[in-house]
Amino acid sequence: MPKISKIEPTVPAIKQLKKVAAYARVSMQSERMMHSLSAQISYYSKLIQKNPDWEYAGVYADDFISGTNTVKRDEFKRMLADCEEGKIDIILTKSISRFARNTVDLLETVRHLKAKGIEVRFEKENINSMSGDGELMLSILASFAQEESRSISENIRWATKKRFEKGIPNGKFKIFGYRWEDDKLVPVPEEAEIVKRIYQNFLDGKSRLETEKEFAAEGITTANGCRWVDSNIKVVLTNITYTGNLLLQKEFIEDPITKRRKKNRGEMPQYFVENTHEPIIDMETFRYVQDEIARRKELGALANKSLNTCCFTGKIKCPHCGVSYMHNKRTDRGNCLEFWCCGSRKKKGGRCGVGGSINHKNMVKACTEVLGLEEFDEEIFLREVDHIDVPKRYVLEFHMTDGRVITKDCPNTGHKDCWTAEYRAKTSAKRRKNGTNCKGSSCFTGKIKCKNCECNFRRATQPSATAENGKVNYWRCSEHSNGCQTAGLREDALIPLIADTLGMAEFDDALFRKTVEYISVLTDKDLEIHKKDGTVTAVIYTPPAPKRLPRTEEQKAHMRSLMKEKWTPERKVEMSERMKQMRKERGENWRKEK
């Protein structure tokens, strides 16, 4: 008999194409650089698309962006996001300096991509991140690229310094009140009037906050149409440019890699150029304003007359946070409470190690006792006390001007002080009449009483299949958890029952409170409504029927299969033997026994 062999059909293997993208970047804005970026995009698009083993994944290009960090490189960040989603297998780039000039950023990015199996190729240096010596070469060459960036920054700084020495500003900066015409600042009349008004308000004794509110009320805005705020006004008051002179190098870039700008406080030389443009404010006025700013800064909050200050303002210090305590007022139970708390608590995310607050009246009393006075005197306090530290809660540490340190307890009794005998009696009468009226209470609070243990019912919320929103309010005896067997009442069933009994078309809270004294719960169905006119009405409470959803055919089939799995022949024999034993033990009346 001939031998027959079956030959299976073969499916040709489809070669998986590599998804390839390219990254390009230029850092300077010029026609030549724009042409360079366009050339890079065109070159890589053609290079990727003509390779039969590659699938074009796009070209990502950042224009006029420095490579020293990745913060503002939107296309670079979009490329990395696509790498995370698996859209890219290979990244092509012209050189290491185009990819990143920061050694740390470069190595972290390349290592992360390598861990995900994504290859980065640098054409100029002929480096592949997946090769054995790729990371070593990258570290060396990336350091060169970073130092090159630092060298470029130093050259730019040197050129800027030379311009400053000649009295030439570094670019045409924007300043409110002026505009640039050619290379000269020219006042804008409308804006110049606002600048003069800011200075005049300050000379008149107004605070920056008062000027801010004044401008907001009149609809006066900045050049960008924004509201004038304290920081804007401060910049105008401290900018010497308004005197017709220029102060160059007010700020400088501390590090060429991080690009962090720093205010020049003597680290770098500054250049004062006189009479460069028309002044808006004369030099004498400007200097007087600077002296007044220094004086008000020394006084602190006391210099700002728009604030509600007193003799304690700026005197109470927190040794843990290094800030002053702030004055606060709160109305509680009709009484105005004054207290002081650490200023760090006003800041977002601020936490004070001491905690708590200081009652104003108690602090005045403590100060009076420390100074040995019969009545508190502000002048003596300011003369004798240098400052008060709060080392721990409810403790004051008085630092006297003669060098003495006196520690005094200052407990917070604000709640106790406002809980007067009159207020206590008023509250007690109200609670006896209406219950505790706690949060979440209703017209039934304190009105439903248990006949068995004579306790009030309390409100609770629990899930329910019959309720529209899946939850329902129940009223149960407060001793339910301690064994009281009185059944609970559902509020959605109780409300229509009460409304029907009292003859209401719709349930009215106010009418219920006015008419009903209380509801007595006798059993799970029997209730008694005791009215304020002395009459008692017996009603039958019927709880809503439980809602059982019909089972689907799939559910029924599932339950049948479970029963078949569990009801095995061994289980049947076991149950049969158990029933025989029960009949034998109980005799003829085995069905009647429980």
Side-chain angles (χ1 to χ4, degrees), residues 550-563:
R551 290 182 177 175
T552 63
E553 292 299 325
E554 292 79 4
Q555 291 174 329
K556 292 179 181 178
H558 177 65
M559 293 302 297
R560 284 195 291 268
S561 64
L562 290 178
M563 291 299 295

Side-chain angles (χ1 to χ4, degrees), residues 485-515:
Q485 299 298 318
T486 305
L489 307 175
R490 273 185 57 161
E491 188 173 293
D492 57 349
L494 183 63
I495 287 176
L497 176 64
I498 301 298
D500 183 60
T501 303
L502 299 179
M504 302 180 188
E506 290 185 1
F507 184 78
D508 187 342
D509 288 9
L511 183 58
F512 173 80
R513 287 192 176 96
K514 183 178 179 181
T515 307

Side-chain angles (χ1 to χ4, degrees), residues 392-546:
K392 58 182 181 180
R393 184 174 292 195
Y394 308 143
V395 175
L396 302 179
E397 194 174 80
F398 289 82
H399 291 256
M400 314 301 285
T401 54
D402 59 6
R404 292 180 299 146
V405 178
I406 303 173
T407 303
K408 182 75 175 176
D409 291 335
C410 185
N412 193 345
T413 59
H415 183 80
K416 182 179 178 181
D417 294 341
C418 71
W419 196 253
T420 59
E422 295 79 9
Y423 189 80
R424 186 188 296 274
K426 180 181 177 182
T427 303
S428 297
K430 182 179 179 181
R431 287 181 176 178
R432 283 194 298 269
K433 182 178 180 181
N434 300 322
T436 57
N437 195 29
C438 59
K439 184 179 180 181
S441 63
S442 73
C443 62
F444 295 120
T445 302
K447 293 279 189 179
I448 307 176
K449 302 183 181 295
C450 178
K451 182 69 173 178
N452 295 334
C453 56
E454 298 182 352
C455 293
N456 287 338
F457 272 45
R458 291 179 180 173
R459 192 185 201 184
T461 304
Q462 68 181 43
S464 174
T466 58
E468 294 182 1
N469 59 355
K471 292 183 179 180
V472 68
N473 291 324
Y474 270 88
W475 291 86
R476 291 191 175 92
C477 178
S478 57
E479 292 295 315
H480 174 74
S481 58
N482 295 328
C484 180
Q485 299 298 318
T486 305
L489 307 175
R490 273 185 57 161
E491 188 173 293
D492 57 349
L494 183 63
I495 287 176
L497 176 64
I498 301 298
D500 183 60
T501 303
L502 299 179
M504 302 180 188
E506 290 185 1
F507 184 78
D508 187 342
D509 288 9
L511 183 58
F512 173 80
R513 287 192 176 96
K514 183 178 179 181
T515 307
V516 178
E517 185 69 30
Y518 68 92
I519 300 171
S520 180
V521 182
L522 309 179
T523 66
D524 58 345
K525 294 183 179 180
D526 299 319
L527 309 179
E528 287 182 349
I529 301 177
H530 294 253
K531 300 179 182 177
K532 292 188 176 181
D533 59 5
T535 59
V536 179
T537 305
V539 294
I540 303 298
Y541 166 78
T542 305

Side-chain angles (χ1 to χ4, degrees), residues 63-345:
D63 52 347
F64 322 133
I65 302 295
S66 171
T68 52
N69 59 62
T70 61
V71 176
K72 297 182 180 180
R73 295 161 67 186
D74 295 333
E75 284 292 284
F76 186 80
K77 290 189 286 187
R78 187 170 71 88
M79 179 183 69
L80 296 182
D82 289 346
C83 288
E84 295 291 335
E85 296 177 7
K87 297 179 180 180
I88 300 173
D89 296 321
I90 300 174
I91 298 174
L92 306 179
T93 188
K94 182 179 178 182
S95 65
I96 291 174
S97 62
R98 296 301 92 198
F99 199 76
R101 284 189 180 272
N102 186 321
T103 306
V104 175
D105 285 348
L106 173 69
L107 294 179
E108 285 183 353
T109 303
V110 170
R111 285 171 183 169
H112 179 70
L113 295 175
K114 184 178 180 180
K116 299 185 72 67
I118 300 171
E119 177 184 343
V120 184
R121 297 181 184 179
F122 303 92
E123 287 193 318
K124 181 180 177 181
E125 294 84 3
N126 194 22
I127 294 177
N128 185 335
S129 64
M130 290 295 189
S131 63
D133 59 350
E135 184 163 328
L136 174 61
M137 294 300 295
L138 276 176
S139 301
I140 297 171
L141 295 176
S143 299
F144 287 145
Q146 179 172 311
E147 288 307 311
E148 182 186 358
S149 177
R150 194 182 299 275
S151 176
I152 293 171
S153 178
E154 291 295 332
N155 292 338
I156 294 173
R157 182 180 292 183
W158 180 85
T160 303
K161 179 183 176 183
K162 291 299 180 182
R163 285 199 299 271
F164 286 163
E165 290 175 352
K166 296 177 181 179
I168 303 172
N170 188 24
K172 296 181 179 181
F173 53 86
K174 291 182 67 176
I175 177 172
F176 184 84
Y178 288 100
R179 69 172 182 272
W180 285 94
E181 289 187 1
D182 297 328
D183 293 329
K184 191 174 182 180
L185 284 172
V186 177
V188 179
E190 300 81 6
E191 295 180 0
E193 288 301 318
I194 296 174
V195 171
K196 291 177 181 177
R197 185 171 171 183
I198 291 173
Y199 274 83
Q200 188 60 50
N201 280 2
F202 197 80
L203 293 172
D204 291 342
K206 293 183 179 179
S207 66
R208 298 196 298 262
L209 182 62
E210 287 178 298
T211 301
E212 176 187 332
K213 292 178 179 178
E214 187 178 299
F215 283 5
E218 297 180 23
I220 299 174
T221 61
T222 64
N224 295 326
C226 300
R227 172 174 171 160
W228 280 95
V229 294
D230 178 79
S231 58
N232 304 131
I233 298 170
K234 181 181 178 181
V235 168
V236 172
L237 290 170
T238 56
N239 197 336
I240 200 170
T241 307
Y242 293 112
T243 64
N245 308 296
L246 288 178
L247 182 62
L248 305 180
Q249 197 154 263
K250 296 178 184 178
E251 295 180 341
F252 65 96
I253 295 177
E254 186 178 25
D255 183 52
I257 304 302
T258 61
K259 302 293 184 184
R260 190 169 73 91
R261 301 186 70 87
K262 185 178 180 182
K263 196 166 185 178
N264 189 357
R265 302 185 185 276
E267 298 89 345
M268 301 285 289
Q270 291 184 321
Y271 304 88
F272 185 69
V273 188
E274 298 183 71
N275 303 322
T276 58
H277 53 279
E278 182 182 342
I280 296 176
I281 303 297
D282 61 86
M283 181 59 79
E284 185 179 354
T285 301
F286 179 82
R287 286 174 177 164
Y288 178 82
V289 167
Q290 305 318 302
D291 293 340
E292 179 64 12
I293 290 174
R295 187 189 71 83
R296 293 187 188 183
K297 185 177 181 180
E298 183 68 24
L299 286 174
L302 294 172
N304 192 345
K305 60 184 179 59
S306 63
L307 299 178
N308 184 18
T309 60
C310 67
C311 63
F312 296 110
T313 303
K315 285 279 190 179
I316 312 170
K317 306 289 184 181
C318 177
H320 299 274
C321 305
V323 297
S324 298
Y325 270 56
M326 300 180 69
H327 190 209
N328 295 272
K329 290 184 179 181
R330 181 177 66 236
T331 302
D332 188 12
R333 302 179 180 91
N335 299 315
C336 181
L337 302 180
E338 293 184 68
F339 60 96
W340 296 78
C341 64
C342 180
S344 63
R345 293 167 61 180

